[in-house]
Amino acid sequence: MAVGGDYDRQPPPAAQTDWIDRANVAVAEEEFVAWWRELGDPELARLVEAALEDNLTIRQGLSRIEEANARRLRARAARYPSVSAESSATVLQQSLNTQLGQAQFPGFERQYEQYALGSAFNWQVDLWGQRRRRIDAADARVEALIAAANGARLAIASETAATYFTMAGFQQEKRALLLGIEAQRTQLGLAETRLEAGAISRAQLVLVEAELARLEEQLPSVEAEIQANALALGVLTGRLPETEIALADRVPPLLELPDIPVGTRADLLRRRPDVARLERELAAETFELGIARGELFPQLGLDASGGFTSIDPGTILSGDSTRFTIVPFLSWRVFDGGRVRADIRLAQAEARTAALAYVEGTITAIEEAETAIAQYDLAREGRPLALRTIELAQENLRLARIRFEVGDIDRFELQDAERTYSDALRNGAISYRNSTLALAQLYAALGGGWQAVPPYVAIPVPAPAPPSAAAPPSTILPISD
């Protein structure tokens, strides 16, 4: 038997609820694994996979898993007896200035040698399952760290994609700005010619100059954003910032915004590594509570040692040289000033805190997913509108140029059409940036993109022990004494 009850790994109640605006339909896990590869941009796929391979945050997480694995192995080893072997050869010399040395008994040898061979055995019987609970807790801690590492992978994949999308959006915005600046410089040249001919006033020329200055003023900040995101991509891939700086001069292709299936809320909570981490931490704290309760009961152990001891190496293996000691022992903390009860209360509080954190984590995961779904759906709806606005502004500019050539409108009306088209291009670039960012955030909120965790750290989750009459399973958290 094991004190403290068995941990019952039940899904949270929130897993049974439905989405607000989506159908609660199960989808294959493949929809979420390496989602960045399905977008058709090889550069994006290269960057994300380089980050998953070499990002320093991810590598730290894997190192922590190795540390926890070592602690787990130590907890498992503590369940078994320990046996040690020893041998020694000792040269001894007695003092003549002691009562025994001064007596000089017949045959007294002041100096002699002593040889010993032997072994020792120690075992503490796991009467109350504390050592089993320590193993269970250590397993859960490792699994929690694996989930944390998976969470880091999810975050890095999402952040890398979001950084790439942000850079691409600013590059599209820069291109729109350059088109507007080029058109405005042409307009300024024509305005200067018309001013010299007396066709326009100085005030009208100043308006053209002011519009050009407005556009040129915005260009440095956009270029700075492009460079900052290119430098961030270098760091995300675990290398020097300037590693990916060449991407600042490349305009990535525009991506189609796919219809992303979201599955069920139960699927979401199973995929989200942060929820998995909180659940494993709750399991570990529940097992720790069992360990604390075990201190209420007596502990049984056995110490034994034996071997051979002789002053003559030639007789060390004879029967007269044998020795042994067997010491079974029973210990019980009968009175310790209430320390055991205090430890139990502490373990209960820590387990209760872990349970509340788990519930909060599931609710937060659902809230993040619902928000990401709504933002992405709105972004997808707004994208065609932005493209339609660009088409209309382009058509308006085409007609304005025709009307200007036949003298139906003046140069300033044509400038308005050019400015409208330039603004539509910029707004379209901003819309594209926001929608691609919403895509990356949705995949992150749905728990996609972390499943490529190295197999050498994957530890199977032990099945919960069957209920017993002596130790009934807890539904979520055992808190009573």
Side-chain angles (χ1 to χ4, degrees):
M1 87 179 252
V3 293
D6 293 316
Y7 175 74
D8 190 10
R9 192 173 187 174
Q10 293 184 351
Q16 310 305 319
T17 56
D18 295 332
W19 298 110
I20 297 174
D21 295 321
R22 291 291 190 98
N24 216 31
V25 179
V27 297
E29 290 293 324
E30 289 75 14
E31 297 282 350
F32 300 93
V33 178
W35 54 267
W36 52 86
R37 295 179 190 167
E38 307 303 319
L39 299 178
D41 188 338
E43 199 67 48
L44 170 64
R46 178 187 70 81
L47 289 167
V48 173
E49 286 164 17
L52 291 177
E53 183 68 26
D54 296 322
N55 182 270
L56 296 176
T57 300
I58 292 175
R59 290 165 67 181
Q60 289 176 57
L62 296 180
S63 180
R64 293 189 190 98
I65 294 173
E66 292 179 0
E67 294 174 12
N69 257 325
R71 295 190 185 94
R72 169 180 173 268
L73 292 175
R74 186 171 61 186
R76 286 185 176 275
R79 191 173 181 181
Y80 302 100
S82 64
V83 180
S84 61
E86 60 182 18
S87 64
S88 65
T90 308
V91 177
L92 301 173
Q93 178 172 292
Q94 300 280 4
S95 171
L96 295 178
N97 293 324
T98 64
Q99 186 175 8
L100 179 62
Q102 291 172 349
Q104 295 290 311
F105 295 109
F108 173 81
E109 293 288 343
R110 182 183 182 191
Q111 188 178 74
Y112 65 95
E113 298 174 354
Q114 180 173 292
Y115 302 89
L117 292 173
S119 63
F121 174 93
N122 176 266
W123 184 34
Q124 185 168 347
V125 183
D126 193 18
L127 284 178
W128 317 111
Q130 286 175 286
R131 295 185 182 233
R132 277 174 283 166
R133 288 290 180 246
R134 285 194 177 91
I135 294 170
D136 293 337
D139 288 343
R141 299 287 185 201
V142 172
E143 291 152 8
L145 284 172
I146 291 175
N150 287 333
R153 295 174 70 81
L154 182 153
I156 293 301
S158 175
E159 185 178 355
T160 302
T163 303
Y164 181 79
F165 292 149
T166 301
M167 182 187 69
F170 277 112
Q171 286 167 323
Q172 296 290 344
E173 188 175 349
K174 177 184 176 181
R175 185 165 65 175
L177 263 176
L178 290 175
L179 288 174
I181 290 171
E182 181 181 357
Q184 197 62 25
R185 284 174 177 167
T186 302
Q187 174 72 4
L188 179 60
L190 293 173
E192 288 172 343
T193 301
R194 296 184 70 187
L195 177 65
E196 292 174 359
I200 63 172
S201 66
R202 177 66 185 170
Q204 291 174 313
L205 177 67
V206 170
L207 289 176
V208 179
E209 291 175 334
E211 177 64 17
L212 176 60
R214 182 183 73 85
L215 294 175
E216 289 179 334
E217 177 193 12
Q218 297 169 11
L219 187 59
S221 63
V222 173
E223 290 177 333
E225 291 286 352
I226 294 171
Q227 186 174 46
N229 284 280
L231 292 171
L233 287 171
V235 176
L236 284 167
T237 55
R239 292 169 288 178
L240 292 173
E242 64 269 21
T243 304
E244 302 293 345
I245 195 65
L247 292 174
D249 298 323
R250 171 185 175 272
V251 180
L254 293 176
L255 301 177
E256 295 292 333
L257 300 178
D259 182 15
I260 301 175
V262 299
T264 67
R265 281 187 171 180
D267 292 337
L268 164 74
L269 297 178
R270 187 181 65 255
R271 280 193 308 267
R272 288 270 300 225
D274 56 339
V275 174
R277 176 183 59 81
L278 291 169
E279 187 275 331
R280 289 290 82 199
E281 288 177 352
L282 169 58
E285 294 297 344
T286 305
F287 295 135
E288 294 284 354
L289 177 56
I291 296 169
R293 284 177 172 161
E295 293 299 315
L296 290 171
F297 306 100
Q299 308 296 320
L300 176 64
L302 175 66
D303 283 338
S305 64
F308 304 88
T309 303
S310 175
I311 61 174
D312 183 358
T315 61
I316 192 170
L317 296 179
S318 68
D320 291 340
S321 298
T322 58
R323 58 176 174 81
F324 68 86
T325 304
I326 299 176
V327 184
F329 63 89
L330 183 70
S331 64
W332 194 357
R333 294 170 66 173
V334 177
F335 177 77
D336 62 359
R339 291 183 184 87
V340 172
R341 293 288 180 182
D343 288 343
I344 292 173
R345 285 183 174 275
L346 174 61
Q348 286 176 333
E350 290 173 340
R352 189 178 295 108
T353 300
L356 294 172
Y358 176 47
V359 173
E360 181 184 33
T362 60
I363 295 173
T364 300
I366 291 173
E367 183 268 336
E368 290 176 353
E370 288 284 9
T371 301
I373 290 170
Q375 289 177 341
Y376 182 68
D377 287 347
L378 290 173
R380 286 191 75 215
E381 292 174 8
R383 183 67 184 149
L385 298 177
L387 294 176
R388 179 61 177 160
T389 301
I390 293 173
E391 291 176 1
L392 293 173
Q394 188 176 26
E395 178 65 11
N396 179 59
L397 177 59
R398 186 184 70 82
L399 295 174
R401 284 172 176 168
I402 294 174
R403 294 179 64 193
F404 175 75
E405 289 173 1
V406 300
D408 192 25
I409 61 174
D410 61 19
R411 187 68 199 178
F412 293 99
E413 290 180 271
L414 176 60
Q415 176 185 336
D416 288 338
E418 289 173 339
R419 181 168 57 246
T420 299
Y421 178 58
S422 174
D423 289 344
L425 286 176
R426 285 197 66 197
N427 291 334
I430 294 170
S431 170
Y432 174 77
R433 182 171 73 242
N434 292 338
S435 59
T436 52
L437 282 174
L439 180 147
Q441 290 164 359
L442 176 56
Y443 271 116
L446 294 175
W450 59 263
Q451 287 83 350
V453 69
Y456 77 93
V457 297
I459 297 173
V461 177
S468 65
S474 60
T475 55
I476 286 291
L477 173 67
I479 58 174
S480 59
D481 287 339

